Amino acid sequence: MTRTPLAPVPGAHVPLLAPRAHRVLRTLTVASCVPYLSLKIAWIAGSRIGIPDGSVLLEHRGLIAVANSVTVLMDGTVIVLALLLTQAWGRRVPAWLLATPMWIAGGLLAPIMVGFPVQLLTRAVTGAEPHRAGDKPFLDEWVFGVVYTGFIVQGLALGTLFVLYARERWSHVWRGRIWDLPSAATGLTLKVTAVAAAVLAFFPAAMHLLWACGATTGLSATRIEQRTADFYVLEGINALFVAVAVTGALLLAFRPVPALPLKTPLAMAWLGSGAVGCWGIWLLIAVVLPGSEDGERASGLMALTYAVGMIVGLLVITGTASFVRRRGA
């Protein structure tokens, strides 16, 4: 069978058909979505698999069905991305149309990929339980293991596919060291957004660190009662990603480490902004939903923390996108 060469993309030399490694990674990505999608579709259809009696998920059926439908679409997008990154038609997709969902996917998956293994390690070392005695049940414990393991595989496989794709199509964007860049490559937008993000980041970083260290400032009564070792681990990781995002942006904007490879701060700004911005949006939506009791409603300080985190992430990715456009030109 004769292979027809693909119309070239500027700066890229991409083969028409994905090599075997690409096909394996694509299969892993799609397969890792199956457990999560199967559970969500089953719940939408009315099944209670993995949902114990008394779970809060049984209290607001309509709202939970809508949320499950949204997450099914989100995880289905991962399958589309896996196909896009390994098929010929994917080479013709405009950069922004690929980069946007990849930024969201990477931002949502990265904290899980870091946090879940650390949570398991913490439980193994300290013997801590994932839930406090007397807490309202949420999901059977096996559900978290199946779903989060799938998310980790998704992140690794899809992330590798994206790196391989980007290396073929846009490798010129991150070649060299920071100091090799001409001054015009950074631009005013990157500098302004990096400084603004760094200033605003003090607030969410401080709040996440306080909560990680055991402070109750701004937490709802229910959240205070339900804190476990997992909560402290996740809050520490939230603070870490704020620092990663801002550090990457500042390194790109002001180039204080001349010998640093350009790809390092670019990756930090990309992943960090996605984690802070996307999870800021997701948590903000979650906390503004009214609880059934006063103690379950999120405090204004919690909402503000997530909102400012969202702004920090959006500022960093705006500056990073500006840099990439300049660098590509």
Side-chain angles (χ1 to χ4, degrees):
M1 177 179 177
T2 303
R3 297 183 181 180
T4 304
L6 182 67
V9 178
H13 300 283
V14 185
L16 173 62
L17 297 180
R20 182 177 181 180
H22 287 66
R23 292 194 293 269
V24 170
L25 289 168
R26 181 178 61 207
T27 302
L28 277 175
T29 303
V30 174
S32 66
C33 294
V34 172
Y36 183 77
L37 289 174
S38 299
L39 283 170
K40 290 288 185 173
I41 293 171
W43 293 339
I44 293 171
S47 172
R48 289 184 51 184
I49 181 172
I51 303 177
D53 293 334
S55 171
V56 295
L57 296 176
L58 301 175
E59 297 176 4
H60 307 283
R61 292 293 186 93
L63 181 61
I64 296 301
V66 172
N68 283 334
S69 299
V70 171
T71 52
V72 164
L73 291 175
M74 292 171 64
D75 211 42
T77 302
V78 172
I79 297 176
V80 176
L81 287 171
L83 295 173
L84 185 155
L85 293 170
T86 55
Q87 298 293 327
W89 55 267
R91 314 302 179 187
R92 303 184 181 92
V93 172
W96 68 268
L97 191 57
L98 168 61
T100 301
M102 278 303 310
W103 178 72
I104 295 171
L108 292 175
L109 289 172
I112 295 174
M113 295 170 67
V114 176
F116 188 57
V118 175
Q119 286 177 329
L120 294 179
L121 180 62
T122 301
R123 293 176 198 172
V125 172
T126 65
E129 294 294 329
H131 306 290
R132 294 172 64 94
D135 285 350
K136 278 187 176 183
F138 185 66
L139 288 170
D140 291 338
E141 195 60 31
W142 66 265
V143 175
F144 294 102
V146 169
V147 169
Y148 288 163
T149 300
F151 283 159
I152 291 172
V153 175
Q154 280 182 41
L156 292 173
L158 187 66
T160 303
L161 282 175
F162 181 64
V163 169
L164 294 174
Y165 178 102
R167 187 178 64 183
E168 296 286 350
R169 185 171 176 180
W170 303 306
S171 62
H172 59 287
V173 172
W174 62 74
R175 285 177 185 156
R177 302 172 302 167
I178 285 182
W179 202 248
D180 295 331
L181 293 172
S183 299
T186 53
L188 182 62
T189 300
L190 175 58
K191 290 183 171 65
V192 170
T193 54
V195 172
V199 172
L200 290 175
F202 278 108
F203 176 67
M207 294 308 302
H208 288 306
L209 280 176
L210 285 173
W211 294 337
C213 293
T216 60
T217 306
L219 293 177
S220 64
T222 300
R223 188 66 59 88
I224 293 172
E225 293 175 359
Q226 294 179 345
R227 288 178 301 169
T228 62
D230 287 355
F231 171 85
Y232 301 120
V233 167
L234 289 178
E235 290 303 326
I237 289 172
N238 287 336
L240 173 64
F241 274 103
V242 174
V244 168
V246 171
T247 301
L250 292 174
L251 287 172
L252 276 177
F254 299 102
R255 301 181 293 169
V257 187
L260 187 68
L262 178 56
K263 60 186 177 182
T264 300
L266 195 57
M268 292 172 65
W270 172 272
L271 282 176
S273 65
V276 176
C278 296
W279 274 104
I281 295 171
W282 187 261
L283 292 173
L284 182 61
I285 293 172
V287 299
V288 298
L289 295 176
S292 58
E293 300 176 5
D294 289 342
E296 294 179 350
R297 297 191 181 97
S299 70
L301 195 56
M302 288 175 65
L304 183 61
T305 299
Y306 301 141
V308 176
M310 173 190 68
I311 294 170
V312 169
L314 293 176
L315 282 171
V316 172
I317 194 59
T318 298
T320 304
S322 173
F323 166 81
V324 169
R325 284 195 299 271
R326 284 174 170 270
R327 176 68 167 166

